Amino acid sequence: MTTLFTHIGLLAGTRDAQELLRGHQLAQLPSMEDAYLLVEDEQIADYGFMYELPLKIPQLPKNTIDLQGRFVLPCWCDSHTHLVFAGSRENEFIYKLQGLSYAEIAAKGGGILNSAKKLNETSEEELLQQSETRLQQLSELGTGAIEIKSGYGLSVESELKMLRVIKQLKQRSKLSIKASFLGAHTYPEIFKNDHAGYIKMIIEEMLPVIAAEKLADYIDVFCETGFFSPAETEQLCKAGAAYGLRPKLHVNQLNSIGGIQTGIAANALSLDHLETLTAEEIQLLGKFDGCSTLLPTAAFFLRMAYQPARALIDANAAVVLASDYNPGSSPSGNMNLVNAISCIQMKMFPEEVINASTLNGAYAMDLQNEVGSITNGKNANLIITKPIPSLAYLFYSFGLIHIEKVMIRGNWV
Ligand code: NIG
Ligand code: FE
């Protein structure tokens, strides 16, 4: 199947090179005004300026679509989500509005353990169905590649259930999907006073099965006060590395306890959250080879200070934006909102947020050769906008839907 798009007002993110963008490189978004784009089957086959079209494609294919000035962007690459979860937790949201603290909500059975309880009671089929519905919603909002974590199972059986659901999503979906094993999300009730026992179970009982069934691409740990210490994080990263799982870690969400230093030493692909950073840590991230992934909707929902995006960019960090879609701290996986908040609250520029949410997001999932920019041979993952006056308008006019159509691997969503 061949589709030709003509009269594209702006074709954004036309980039052949697949390098991770750092610091001020993020402000460069190669684009073409008045362009065409050719899709053959699942891939981008050609693109260029309209004036080149008669020479490049003299015979227009039957399926030629005149976009009349609409913009085309590569689909969002959301490199940090917890999309597989059971039910929802809006009762905790109401508690929070009533003024209850995190600890009080936890005492009422809230938090990660609440999601774990719900997930335990939900069958694999039901979990798959709920997750597939969410994935469909996100694809309509322009997400074409996604990372999904386990971490609401917290037992051998339920962690495997979550990862098997992700594996089924991989097989059934047109989106590119990566799985991260987050057994170390919190301690289940029965290991409340035996942290070493739970870590032993992760290493000796979960990891070998996950590796044998190829259920994960990465390992994740919630490195935080009251959760997993830097030493425990290091131990878990080493255990994951023995099975070829590179770390993508939750660090510095609430406290700066050494997660960044641990992650860098463990050759992490990405260090995520980063709400709480010291000046030295910002400099460390500037020199870190991997990705610094910011999750502004989690800061928004928890009413925390936003991540210091500008300071990170000035320090030359490879900033990535992701949704953290989960039932507790970011019950939205809308990357358009992530991007608008990043502009409005973190003072990132439209070009920077698009790079951070596309090519850099792809990089944070090792998918940079497949998705994240407009180039020949990459997946035809395209956002077609409604008529809009400029790129900036997408984020300035926040909360409204500016997407008209989404194509993922050459198929309309
Ligand atoms: O990434 N911080 C750790 N985990 C999730 C939230 C977990 C939850 O409340 O369900 C996050 O924000
Ligand atoms: Fe998260």
Side-chain angles (χ1 to χ4, degrees), residues 100-379:
L100 268 65
S101 71
Y102 185 82
E104 287 167 328
I105 293 170
K108 278 180 170 283
I112 297 170
L113 291 178
N114 185 4
S115 286
K117 184 168 173 284
K118 287 189 161 76
L119 192 128
N120 262 281
E121 294 159 356
T122 306
S123 71
E124 193 170 317
E125 295 69 41
E126 169 63 19
L127 195 58
L128 175 64
Q129 200 239 303
Q130 289 186 22
S131 306
E132 211 159 37
T133 303
R134 289 182 202 119
L135 200 57
Q136 174 67 23
Q137 286 171 337
L138 297 196
S139 60
E140 288 167 16
L141 293 166
T143 297
I146 194 166
E147 180 256 18
I148 308 173
K149 301 172 191 299
S150 70
Y152 289 123
L154 307 178
S155 67
V156 177
E157 191 194 342
S158 291
E159 281 297 307
L160 292 175
K161 177 162 79 180
M162 287 188 80
L163 290 166
R164 287 181 186 131
V165 165
I166 303 173
K167 190 172 183 176
Q168 289 198 64
L169 291 173
K170 283 186 184 187
Q171 289 159 353
R172 293 156 67 117
S173 174
K174 284 279 171 203
L175 280 85
S176 305
I177 299 176
K178 289 288 177 99
S180 296
F181 168 52
L182 177 56
H185 199 185
T186 190
Y187 296 95
E189 198 58 32
I190 48 163
F191 284 100
K192 198 167 66 181
N193 299 312
D194 180 16
H195 290 187
Y198 183 56
I199 291 170
K200 189 166 185 280
M201 189 170 107
I202 291 176
I203 295 174
E204 293 181 6
E205 295 179 49
M206 297 185 190
L207 271 172
V209 187
I210 290 165
E213 290 188 32
K214 293 193 175 27
L215 290 174
D217 303 292
Y218 305 104
I219 185 160
D220 193 348
V221 179
F222 186 23
C223 183
E224 185 56 63
T225 308
F227 293 83
F228 295 82
S229 70
E232 290 164 341
T233 303
E234 183 189 340
Q235 186 190 359
L236 287 156
C237 288
K238 281 203 174 123
Y243 294 106
L245 304 180
R246 217 178 148 186
K248 279 169 73 70
L249 303 176
H250 283 73
V251 298
N252 292 55
Q253 181 179 14
L254 310 171
N255 295 285
S256 163
I257 59 167
I260 290 175
Q261 294 79 351
T262 305
I264 293 173
N267 186 35
L269 174 60
S270 72
L271 297 174
D272 303 16
H273 266 294
L274 311 176
E275 283 87 336
T276 312
L277 292 177
T278 65
E280 296 87 283
E281 285 166 337
I282 291 173
Q283 293 310 312
L284 278 179
L285 291 169
K287 295 190 190 76
F288 169 48
D289 284 343
C291 306
S292 300
T293 302
L294 313 183
L295 313 168
T297 47
F300 169 74
F301 191 78
L302 299 178
R303 297 194 202 96
M304 291 180 62
Y306 287 96
Q307 294 84 355
R310 287 257 61 90
L312 285 165
I313 290 172
D314 287 343
N316 205 36
V319 168
V320 177
L321 292 169
S323 75
D324 198 17
Y325 190 12
N326 77 75
S329 67
S330 180
S332 164
N334 184 346
M335 285 297 287
N336 306 284
L337 189 60
V338 168
N339 291 337
I341 290 180
S342 301
C343 290
I344 298 163
Q345 296 290 344
M346 303 203 299
K347 303 193 175 90
M348 288 178 73
F349 288 90
E351 294 78 7
E352 291 175 327
V353 302
I354 293 171
N355 278 321
S357 294
T358 56
L359 190 55
N360 273 15
Y363 205 104
M365 299 183 273
D366 291 307
L367 289 172
Q368 66 273 18
N369 297 316
E370 207 174 291
V371 293
S373 66
I374 303 292
T375 191
N376 297 350
K378 276 199 182 180
N379 290 356

Side-chain angles (χ1 to χ4, degrees), residues 4-57:
L4 175 69
F5 296 104
T6 60
H7 299 103
I8 300 168
L10 191 80
L11 180 61
T14 50
R15 201 189 279 273
D16 296 336
Q18 275 101 27
E19 85 273 25
L20 180 62
L21 303 170
R22 316 190 63 89
H24 297 295
Q25 290 176 327
L26 278 155
Q28 303 301 322
L29 183 72
S31 302
M32 285 175 153
E33 279 178 30
D34 198 21
Y36 73 87
L37 175 78
L38 184 72
V39 173
E40 252 159 36
D41 300 321
E42 298 198 337
Q43 261 97 43
I44 297 168
D46 190 18
Y47 64 93
F49 289 107
M50 275 308 288
Y51 69 78
E52 302 172 301
L53 188 63
L55 216 69
K56 297 275 283 291
I57 309 175

